[in-house]
Amino acid sequence: MTKEKERKMFVGIVWNCAAELKFILTAILFLFSLITILQFMPIRFSTNLATTCISVPSFSSSTIIDSVSVSISAINASTAVQQPPALVKDELLENGVIKRAFNPFGSAAYNFILMSAYRGGINTFTVMGLASKPLHVYGKPSYLCEWIPNTNDSNMQKHINVTGTKILPDWGYGRVYTVLVVNCTFPIPVGDGVNGGKLLIHATTNGGGDSKFNITDTFLALTESEQDFTNFISTFSKPPKYDFLYCGSSLYGNLSPQRVREWLAFHVRLFGVKSHFVIHDAGGVHEGLMAVLKPWIEKGYVTLQDIRDQERFDGYYHNQFLIVNDCLHKYRFQAKWMFFFDVDEFIFVLKRVLLSLWLIRYRIIHSSPLNKCQCPTSSV
């Protein structure tokens, strides 16, 4: 009885809503029919509507011609700039000989690649860099040093020139580039604590590479302020900051962090608290090795220098001789003793002999006239 009442109630509700349902269904059917019909009807626009929606500017024939002329002129101008130089052609001489032509393009190597320059005394400077190896092996390049003081005093000498002395410390091991050290020693003191100055280098090929041309490249090697000169005199005059300073060669490859940790701890203990280590990263200081070096850097025992950019220039052994010469002249007045060896080498001292005492004995022996080194001291 109850189920029959519920069924009658549901039918009654549907019957009462039948009018509304019919209206909704009719509206939906009409809407979808309209959408279907519109898909097949072509879209037409009147002339006025098209004119209103799309505005086309009018051009006169002279305007179009002028625009085209300007465009062609611009193209010709850009093309003229990019055109290569005219070739020198072979020539038939009067005596019947054919003179062949040679057309050089580009440059195989730089004349000079500057890394650093340091003052070495009141009248001397040292400039470190790379240069074209064939230029030095087969040519005779020269270097002129020029000091220009920063002063407007007419009574003072404006500039002074001196011929630079070139040193090739890599003993012919260079590749495309060789290491070049230029020593500039002026006949009088240059620079002071009142007026700064700058050092220019005039690098001349003297016909090397092309005997038809004598090319001179001038570059700024060093800019020295008044404070820079004062700091140098202070460092030069007072006792060295370190007893021992290590100048490391270029580090590259997949180095073992554990081996470097052992090497560094051993030599810090050997050299003592007044020691310092300059490490040069040529691609070998990876994340694991950096974790080893960082505590020593924070304690002040290690200075890490990123020299990866030198890999652009093809030199011997990651330009090792350039790097150690830079280290030598940068720190030469800050240490009593400087060491140059690799991280796979250890200094061994016999038991009960202090390294400092052994070095004192070494200095006494080698300071005698019979044991003085005759090699130049301005490079490693």
Side-chain angles (χ1 to χ4, degrees):
M1 187 69 179
T2 304
K3 291 183 178 180
E4 185 177 354
K5 287 183 178 180
E6 291 177 355
R7 185 169 59 84
K8 289 181 178 180
M9 184 180 296
F10 175 75
V11 173
I13 292 173
V14 173
W15 180 258
N16 292 333
C17 297
E20 289 80 0
L21 289 174
K22 289 179 181 179
F23 178 77
I24 294 173
L25 292 175
T26 303
I28 293 174
L29 178 62
F30 175 78
L31 180 61
F32 279 97
S33 300
L34 182 61
I35 293 174
T36 304
I37 294 172
L38 288 176
Q39 291 180 355
F40 297 97
M41 292 181 63
I43 300 175
R44 301 179 183 274
F45 294 94
S46 63
T47 306
N48 294 334
L49 180 60
T51 306
T52 304
C53 296
I54 304 174
S55 177
V56 180
S58 59
F59 295 96
S60 63
S61 59
S62 60
T63 304
I64 295 175
I65 293 173
D66 293 341
S67 301
V68 173
S69 300
V70 171
S71 301
I72 293 174
S73 300
I75 293 173
N76 291 336
S78 61
T79 305
V81 172
Q82 297 176 358
Q83 285 181 350
L87 295 178
V88 178
K89 298 182 179 180
D90 296 345
E91 181 182 356
L92 179 61
L93 303 180
E94 294 180 356
N95 58 0
V97 177
I98 299 176
K99 181 180 180 182
R100 302 301 302 274
F102 298 88
N103 294 273
F105 299 98
S107 178
Y110 293 105
N111 187 2
F112 195 95
I113 302 169
L114 174 68
M115 180 181 182
S116 56
Y118 304 104
R119 178 183 280 274
I122 59 175
N123 67 328
T124 182
F125 300 87
T126 307
V127 182
M128 268 70 62
L130 299 171
S132 169
K133 181 180 178 180
L135 178 63
H136 285 268
V137 173
Y138 303 106
K140 295 181 179 180
S142 61
Y143 301 90
L144 182 68
C145 308
E146 180 181 7
W147 175 261
I148 303 177
N150 295 334
T151 179
N152 295 323
D153 189 353
S154 58
N155 296 325
M156 293 187 63
Q157 190 173 7
K158 288 297 182 182
H159 60 86
I160 181 172
N161 297 331
V162 68
T163 301
T165 301
K166 67 175 185 178
I167 303 170
L168 303 175
D170 61 0
W171 306 306
Y173 281 105
R175 292 165 59 87
V176 175
Y177 291 100
T178 188
V179 178
L180 176 63
V181 177
V182 179
N183 179 271
C184 302
T185 301
F186 295 93
I188 60 174
V190 292
D192 52 48
V194 179
N195 301 295
K198 52 188 177 183
L199 176 68
L200 299 181
I201 301 295
H202 305 277
T204 304
T205 60
N206 292 325
D210 190 339
S211 59
K212 188 177 180 180
F213 300 100
N214 186 18
I215 301 174
T216 298
D217 294 298
T218 300
F219 59 90
L220 178 63
L222 176 70
T223 300
E224 185 180 68
S225 65
E226 299 86 343
Q227 189 60 46
D228 293 334
F229 181 85
T230 302
N231 294 340
F232 169 78
I233 295 299
S234 176
T235 303
F236 183 80
S237 304
K238 65 184 181 182
K241 179 180 180 180
Y242 305 110
D243 287 339
F244 307 104
L245 189 136
Y246 167 79
C247 287
S249 302
S250 307
L251 294 185
Y252 66 96
N254 187 21
L255 298 176
S256 168
Q258 179 60 28
R259 294 290 181 265
V260 174
R261 179 186 290 110
E262 295 170 355
W263 180 92
L264 192 54
F266 174 86
H267 287 96
V268 168
R269 180 178 176 84
L270 177 66
F271 290 160
V273 294
K274 295 189 68 176
S275 63
H276 196 72
F277 298 79
V278 182
I279 308 296
H280 299 96
D281 175 21
V285 180
H286 48 78
E287 184 177 355
L289 190 57
M290 187 63 192
V292 171
L293 296 177
K294 189 173 181 180
W296 296 103
I297 295 174
E298 294 174 350
K299 289 181 178 294
Y301 281 100
V302 171
T303 294
L304 178 61
Q305 298 185 5
D306 185 344
I307 59 165
R308 300 189 183 196
D309 272 359
Q310 54 78 30
E311 296 290 337
R312 296 165 48 195
F313 313 109
D314 186 15
Y316 172 74
Y317 211 77
H318 305 270
N319 294 306
Q320 170 179 295
F321 291 102
L322 171 64
I323 302 307
V324 294
N325 270 277
D326 171 81
C327 186
L328 167 66
H329 292 280
K330 183 178 179 66
Y331 295 99
R332 60 184 296 189
F333 300 116
Q334 299 186 37
K336 295 179 181 178
W337 295 92
M338 301 182 73
F339 291 85
F340 303 85
F341 57 97
D342 296 331
V343 293
D344 60 347
E345 300 168 346
F346 288 76
I347 292 182
F348 175 73
V349 181
L350 295 175
K351 292 182 179 180
R352 300 180 182 179
V353 178
L354 294 176
L355 178 62
S356 57
L357 296 178
W358 185 87
L359 289 174
I360 292 174
R361 178 175 176 271
Y362 174 87
R363 182 168 55 187
I364 294 174
I365 294 175
H366 288 268
S367 63
S368 63
L370 296 178
N371 292 287
K372 285 187 177 179
C373 178
Q374 301 299 321
C375 56
T377 58
S378 58
S379 66
V380 176

PDB file of all heavy atoms in Angstrom, residues 281-292:
ATOM      1  N   ASP A 281      93.865  26.629  -9.922  1.00  0.00           N
ATOM      2  CA  ASP A 281      92.859  25.712 -10.461  1.00  0.00           C
ATOM      3  C   ASP A 281      92.767  25.863 -11.973  1.00  0.00           C
ATOM      4  O   ASP A 281      92.257  26.857 -12.484  1.00  0.00           O
ATOM      5  CB  ASP A 281      91.498  26.003  -9.811  1.00  0.00           C
ATOM      6  CG  ASP A 281      90.377  25.169 -10.424  1.00  0.00           C
ATOM      7  OD1 ASP A 281      90.687  24.129 -11.035  1.00  0.00           O
ATOM      8  OD2 ASP A 281      89.202  25.562 -10.295  1.00  0.00           O
ATOM      9  N   ALA A 282      93.263  24.853 -12.697  1.00  0.00           N
ATOM     10  CA  ALA A 282      93.157  24.826 -14.155  1.00  0.00           C
ATOM     11  C   ALA A 282      92.098  23.827 -14.604  1.00  0.00           C
ATOM     12  O   ALA A 282      92.138  23.338 -15.730  1.00  0.00           O
ATOM     13  CB  ALA A 282      94.504  24.472 -14.779  1.00  0.00           C
ATOM     14  N   GLY A 283      91.156  23.529 -13.716  1.00  0.00           N
ATOM     15  CA  GLY A 283      90.097  22.581 -14.023  1.00  0.00           C
ATOM     16  C   GLY A 283      90.104  21.366 -13.123  1.00  0.00           C
ATOM     17  O   GLY A 283      89.235  20.492 -13.244  1.00  0.00           O
ATOM     18  N   GLY A 284      91.063  21.288 -12.203  1.00  0.00           N
ATOM     19  CA  GLY A 284      91.179  20.114 -11.344  1.00  0.00           C
ATOM     20  C   GLY A 284      90.515  20.241  -9.988  1.00  0.00           C
ATOM     21  O   GLY A 284      90.403  19.254  -9.259  1.00  0.00           O
ATOM     22  N   VAL A 285      90.077  21.450  -9.625  1.00  0.00           N
ATOM     23  CA  VAL A 285      89.436  21.636  -8.317  1.00  0.00           C
ATOM     24  C   VAL A 285      87.940  21.389  -8.485  1.00  0.00           C
ATOM     25  O   VAL A 285      87.170  22.300  -8.781  1.00  0.00           O
ATOM     26  CB  VAL A 285      89.715  23.042  -7.752  1.00  0.00           C
ATOM     27  CG1 VAL A 285      89.036  23.210  -6.390  1.00  0.00           C
ATOM     28  CG2 VAL A 285      91.212  23.271  -7.617  1.00  0.00           C
ATOM     29  N   HIS A 286      87.546  20.140  -8.312  1.00  0.00           N
ATOM     30  CA  HIS A 286      86.139  19.774  -8.403  1.00  0.00           C
ATOM     31  C   HIS A 286      85.486  19.917  -7.032  1.00  0.00           C
ATOM     32  O   HIS A 286      86.114  20.384  -6.064  1.00  0.00           O
ATOM     33  CB  HIS A 286      85.997  18.348  -8.944  1.00  0.00           C
ATOM     34  CG  HIS A 286      86.891  17.350  -8.274  1.00  0.00           C
ATOM     35  ND1 HIS A 286      86.620  16.809  -7.037  1.00  0.00           N
ATOM     36  CD2 HIS A 286      88.083  16.820  -8.668  1.00  0.00           C
ATOM     37  CE1 HIS A 286      87.580  15.971  -6.692  1.00  0.00           C
ATOM     38  NE2 HIS A 286      88.489  15.964  -7.662  1.00  0.00           N
ATOM     39  N   GLU A 287      84.232  19.512  -6.933  1.00  0.00           N
ATOM     40  CA  GLU A 287      83.469  19.729  -5.699  1.00  0.00           C
ATOM     41  C   GLU A 287      84.101  19.017  -4.505  1.00  0.00           C
ATOM     42  O   GLU A 287      84.198  19.572  -3.408  1.00  0.00           O
ATOM     43  CB  GLU A 287      82.028  19.249  -5.902  1.00  0.00           C
ATOM     44  CG  GLU A 287      81.116  19.522  -4.718  1.00  0.00           C
ATOM     45  CD  GLU A 287      79.682  19.095  -4.982  1.00  0.00           C
ATOM     46  OE1 GLU A 287      79.388  18.681  -6.127  1.00  0.00           O
ATOM     47  OE2 GLU A 287      78.851  19.173  -4.053  1.00  0.00           O
ATOM     48  N   GLY A 288      84.549  17.779  -4.716  1.00  0.00           N
ATOM     49  CA  GLY A 288      85.156  17.034  -3.618  1.00  0.00           C
ATOM     50  C   GLY A 288      86.455  17.653  -3.150  1.00  0.00           C
ATOM     51  O   GLY A 288      86.738  17.710  -1.946  1.00  0.00           O
ATOM     52  N   LEU A 289      87.267  18.130  -4.093  1.00  0.00           N
ATOM     53  CA  LEU A 289      88.540  18.749  -3.721  1.00  0.00           C
ATOM     54  C   LEU A 289      88.313  20.108  -3.065  1.00  0.00           C
ATOM     55  O   LEU A 289      89.058  20.501  -2.159  1.00  0.00           O
ATOM     56  CB  LEU A 289      89.419  18.902  -4.967  1.00  0.00           C
ATOM     57  CG  LEU A 289      90.864  19.315  -4.721  1.00  0.00           C
ATOM     58  CD1 LEU A 289      91.561  18.341  -3.797  1.00  0.00           C
ATOM     59  CD2 LEU A 289      91.621  19.421  -6.036  1.00  0.00           C
ATOM     60  N   MET A 290      87.284  20.813  -3.504  1.00  0.00           N
ATOM     61  CA  MET A 290      86.972  22.103  -2.895  1.00  0.00           C
ATOM     62  C   MET A 290      86.592  21.929  -1.430  1.00  0.00           C
ATOM     63  O   MET A 290      86.921  22.776  -0.583  1.00  0.00           O
ATOM     64  CB  MET A 290      85.835  22.779  -3.666  1.00  0.00           C
ATOM     65  CG  MET A 290      85.557  24.201  -3.213  1.00  0.00           C
ATOM     66  SD  MET A 290      86.988  25.276  -3.502  1.00  0.00           S
ATOM     67  CE  MET A 290      86.519  26.723  -2.574  1.00  0.00           C
ATOM     68  N   ALA A 291      85.914  20.835  -1.121  1.00  0.00           N
ATOM     69  CA  ALA A 291      85.550  20.562   0.273  1.00  0.00           C
ATOM     70  C   ALA A 291      86.789  20.352   1.137  1.00  0.00           C
ATOM     71  O   ALA A 291      86.785  20.660   2.335  1.00  0.00           O
ATOM     72  CB  ALA A 291      84.642  19.335   0.333  1.00  0.00           C
ATOM     73  N   VAL A 292      87.865  19.839   0.539  1.00  0.00           N
ATOM     74  CA  VAL A 292      89.120  19.651   1.269  1.00  0.00           C
ATOM     75  C   VAL A 292      89.835  20.985   1.473  1.00  0.00           C
ATOM     76  O   VAL A 292      90.376  21.265   2.549  1.00  0.00           O
ATOM     77  CB  VAL A 292      90.029  18.662   0.510  1.00  0.00           C
ATOM     78  CG1 VAL A 292      91.421  18.621   1.130  1.00  0.00           C
ATOM     79  CG2 VAL A 292      89.409  17.274   0.502  1.00  0.00           C
TER      80      VAL A 292
END
